[in-house]
């Protein structure tokens, strides 16, 4: 690819209500950022003091490129900051988890109840022989017990490896074996779109390939309960009932591992990203509080699954550290109908709502009438994560969901970063299409291959220049892959994304570095063309790929899904081509269009362009274990 390329930047701004700014935890971004830059260690030191520690740290940071340690020699257990201190400090009866099952079931766990459940299950795990440092795999639906299982591992210093309940047996087996998990926690079934997902059965298939697993804990949801294998399986409820109620929190070193979470690289086997106790606790606490601006009476809902990093950091650890009320909902956004989410926002009085562009575009596709039926006036802050939030989707989200009132925090980060790195802090002017600026605490840049910053308006590689507390510490069993992150561009952490900054320092994410298409010598980001297509009234979603072409090097092929009620006849392709030409210019116009019912996506909702490309070119798509069914 060429060293640098020009990107056309839109200049539209949205100004939040000045009251947002006045009451925000970070009321003045510019000041907070310069305070951080002046004394990064002092900045993080002050934040870390908000959490519970058994023993304080000697040094905030030790940087031995490419290895970082944070809160060196500090001792803590993240669960005391998530639970014990709230129970002791006046939040005992405050709802910690408000759970809605797909079948209409409801459960509320207060901080006290969650604390109790976690301690009992922690003792239950210990009784199965799980010790500090052992790995436990969690393969569960989105039920409170999934959160309990994670926290119970953390309580006794076991390392959890959560595998999303939508994965099949091979993906599960690979992750269990790589992490060398000795216990698996699962459930008989999950519920999805009115059907059951036979998790225990899928797990049994995986277990045929995982000799290291000694015991399987099964949460039984169906009645009558399935019969368990007495040699290997243990009933979740029995285990908890037998367990002692009190479980002191294990004192963990800041740098002890907290969890492993697998992320699929664009090629090769999934990587087991390792996060540690101290820095991760501090990074998730700070970003949850400051980016979402969480206040005491908020009702916070992140619609991700706990099986993704978004769920780890922003359903479980960050929100509980902050002591907020977390909504947990099993099920899908458009089941039983496209009003399902808005019904829940209305019923529970949700104030902070965090979702993914793929969901927002799906709602756009169903039209304004669905959210319009519900009272969404409790919403105060909206969030987005996972993919670029294209301007069209931003505007719809802002207007149809936020009522033109709520700041949108488009948060750029990764499994590897563990915490938010770029966003537009609440109260700052928002620019559709731009995630925003580095948060106070992160040093982010857009550079060329040598690490030299590229000028505003020029695309380049998105990097992080300085270590940050919640950064990954290694790739489980493959430290070389860890080093690659820091050595691809010397001295910087390379995120693998392409981005561009504008004159004000706002960062626009163009897409993954492997999603760049070179057409007749011009570098074109997939996200740009897709955004242009989505801004056409007929289009719901779009994915574009490059196809080799003898003349131009590559041409663009677009795969498009249409909004409900639109059909693909009557010169629509000409109209779409004209539309892209008008917004991006002739080089970006797709040479081919194909209309589809749905696009191939990962289970976390990211469009898998390489699957489209492989199909188009008759190539092997590589590892597709993360593809939705
Ligand atoms: C949190 C999460 C990381 C990749 C990342 C980037 C894309 C995430 C984004 C975004 C544009 C945002 N990504 N947030 N792109 N704007 N706000 O999604 O982690 O699953 O590891 O994916 O997702 O490409 O590099 P993960």
């Amino acid at each position: 690819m060429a060293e640098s390329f020009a990107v056309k930047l839109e200049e539209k701004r949205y100004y939040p209500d000045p009251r947002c700014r006045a009451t925000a935890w970070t009321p003045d971004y510019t000041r907070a950022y310069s305070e951080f830059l002046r004394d990064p260690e002092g900045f993080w030191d002050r934040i870390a003091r908000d959490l519970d520690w058994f023993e304080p740290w000697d040094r905030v940071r030790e940087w031995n490129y490419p290895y970082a340690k944070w809160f060196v020699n500090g001792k803590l257990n993240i669960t005391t900051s998530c639970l014990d201190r709230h129970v002791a400090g006046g939040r005992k009866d405050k709802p910690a988890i408000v759970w809605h099952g797909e079948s209409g079931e409801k459960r509320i766990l207060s901080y006290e109840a969650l604390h109790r459940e976690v301690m009992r299950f922690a003792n239950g795990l210990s009784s199965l022989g799980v010790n500090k440092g052992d790995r436990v795999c969690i393969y569960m639906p989105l039920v409170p017990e999934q959160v309990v299982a994670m926290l119970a591992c953390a309580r006794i210093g076991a390392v959890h490896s959560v595998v999303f309940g939508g994965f099949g047996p091979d993906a599960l087996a690979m992750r269990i074996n790589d992490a060398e998990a000795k216990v698996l926690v699962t459930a008989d079934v999950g519920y999805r779109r009115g059907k059951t997902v036979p998790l225990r059965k899928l797990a049994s298939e995986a277990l045929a390939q995982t000799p290291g697993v000694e015991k399987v804990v099964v949460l039984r949801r169906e009645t009558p309960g399935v019969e368990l294998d007495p040699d290997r399986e243990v009933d979740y409820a029995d285990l908890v009932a037998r367990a002692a109620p009190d479980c002191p929190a294990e004192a963990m070193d800041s740098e002890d591992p907290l969890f492993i979470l697998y992320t699929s690289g664009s090629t090769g086997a999934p990587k087991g990203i390792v996060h540690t106790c101290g820095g991760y606790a501090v990074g998730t606490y700070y970003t949850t509080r400051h980016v979402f601006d969480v206040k005491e009476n908020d009702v916070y809902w992140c619609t991700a699954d706990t099986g993704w990093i978004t769920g780890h950091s922003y359903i479980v650890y960050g929100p509980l550290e902050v002591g907020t009320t977390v909504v947990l909902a099993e099920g899908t956004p458009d089941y039983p109908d496209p009003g399902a989410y808005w019904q829940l926002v209305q019923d529970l009085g949700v104030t902070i709502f965090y979702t993914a562009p793929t969901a927002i575009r799906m709602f756009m596709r169903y039209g304004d009438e669905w959210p319009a039926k519900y009272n969404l006036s409790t919403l105060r802050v909206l969030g987005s994560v996972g993919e670029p939030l294209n301007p069209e989707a931003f505007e719809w989200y802002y207007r149809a969901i936020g009522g033109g009132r709520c700041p949108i925090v488009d948060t750029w980060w990764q499994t590897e970063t563990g915490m938010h790195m770029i966003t537009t802090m609440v109260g700052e002017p928002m620019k559709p299409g731009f995630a925003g600026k580095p948060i106070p605490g992160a040093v982010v840049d857009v550079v060329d291959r040598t690490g030299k910053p590229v000028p505003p308006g020029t695309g380049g590689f998105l990097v992080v220049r300085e270590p940050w507390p919640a950064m990954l510490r290694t790739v489980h069993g493959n430290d070389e892959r860890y080093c690659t992150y820091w050595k691809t561009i010397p001295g910087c952490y390379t995120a693998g994304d392409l981005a561009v900054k504008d004159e004000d320092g706002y960062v626009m994410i163009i897409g993954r570095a492997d999603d760049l298409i070179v057409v007749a010598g011009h570098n074109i980001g997939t996200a740009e063309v897709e955004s242009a297509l989505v801004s056409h009234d007929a289009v719901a979603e779009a994915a574009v790929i490059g196809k080799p072409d003898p003349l131009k090097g590559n041409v663009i092929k677009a795969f498009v899904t249409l909004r409900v009620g639109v059909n693909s006849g009557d010169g629509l392709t000409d109209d779409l081509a004209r539309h892209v030409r008008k917004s991006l210019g002739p080089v970006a116009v797709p040479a081919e269009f194909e209309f589809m019912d749905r696009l191939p996506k990962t289970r976390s909702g990211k469009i898998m362009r390489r699957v489209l490309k492989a199909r188009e070119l008759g190539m092997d798509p590589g590892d597709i274990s993360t593809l939705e069914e």
Side-chain angles (χ1 to χ4, degrees), residues 263-264 308-310 354 357 384-389 409-417 422 435 462 495-498 508-512 604 606:
T263 179
S264 50
W308 309 118
I309 191 66
T310 303
Y354 190 32
S384 173
V385 59
E387 284 192 299
L389 180 63
V409 289
D410 176 2
T411 58
W412 178 88
W413 61 294
Q414 307 178 295
T415 304
E416 293 88 335
T417 70
I422 300 175
L462 186 61
D497 285 344
L498 296 170
M508 174 186 281
I509 313 296
I510 298 173
R512 299 289 301 167
S604 61
K606 297 192 205 310

Side-chain angles (χ1 to χ4, degrees), residues 373-394:
K373 289 184 199 172
Y374 301 91
N375 178 357
L376 306 180
S377 65
T378 51
L379 289 172
R380 188 169 77 74
V381 177
L382 301 176
S384 173
V385 59
E387 284 192 299
L389 180 63
N390 39 290
E392 192 71 10
F394 176 100

Side-chain angles (χ1 to χ4, degrees), residues 2-22:
E3 280 309 309
S4 56
F5 52 96
V7 179
K8 192 183 143 212
L9 300 176
E10 243 189 281
E11 255 308 305
K12 201 161 173 184
R13 284 168 184 245
Y14 283 77
Y15 291 92
D17 186 326
R19 274 170 303 182
C20 298
R21 191 184 173 117

Side-chain angles (χ1 to χ4, degrees), residues 26 34 49 113 331 357 365 406 535 541 559:
T26 301
S34 49
R49 285 168 196 273
R365 180 177 180 172
C406 308
S535 72
E541 279 203 286
F559 299 84

Side-chain angles (χ1 to χ4, degrees), residues 171-304:
L172 176 61
M174 179 265 141
R175 287 160 175 77
I176 289 177
N177 287 332
D178 188 80
E180 298 160 283
K182 98 186 216 195
V183 165
L184 172 69
V185 186
T186 188
D188 52 357
V189 296
Y191 299 108
R192 195 182 143 85
R193 298 187 168 278
K195 299 204 181 78
T196 56
V197 183
L199 289 176
R200 173 171 169 268
K201 191 171 148 282
L202 297 167
S204 303
E205 284 173 42
L207 289 166
Q209 314 163 46
T210 60
V213 174
E214 294 165 13
K215 289 285 175 202
V216 180
V217 182
V218 183
L219 174 74
R220 291 193 285 181
R221 306 178 73 192
E222 300 238 282
T223 39
V226 281
E227 207 172 304
L228 301 180
D229 166 359
D231 291 335
R232 191 173 65 188
E233 291 178 320
V234 184
D235 177 62
Y236 185 102
D238 281 354
L239 186 69
V240 169
R242 278 202 312 268
D246 282 320
C247 177
E250 184 75 32
M252 305 297 288
D253 188 85
S254 284
E255 287 299 317
D256 280 336
L258 175 64
F259 66 85
I260 301 173
L261 183 61
Y262 287 84
T263 179
S264 50
S266 46
T267 53
K271 297 179 262 199
I273 302 300
V274 177
H275 283 288
T276 52
C277 296
Y280 180 81
V282 175
T284 52
Y285 164 75
Y286 160 70
T287 46
T288 304
R289 186 170 186 256
H290 287 252
V291 172
F292 297 119
D293 194 37
V294 181
K295 304 282 169 48
E296 191 57 43
N297 292 326
D298 276 312
V299 176
Y300 169 95
W301 185 18
C302 163
T303 69

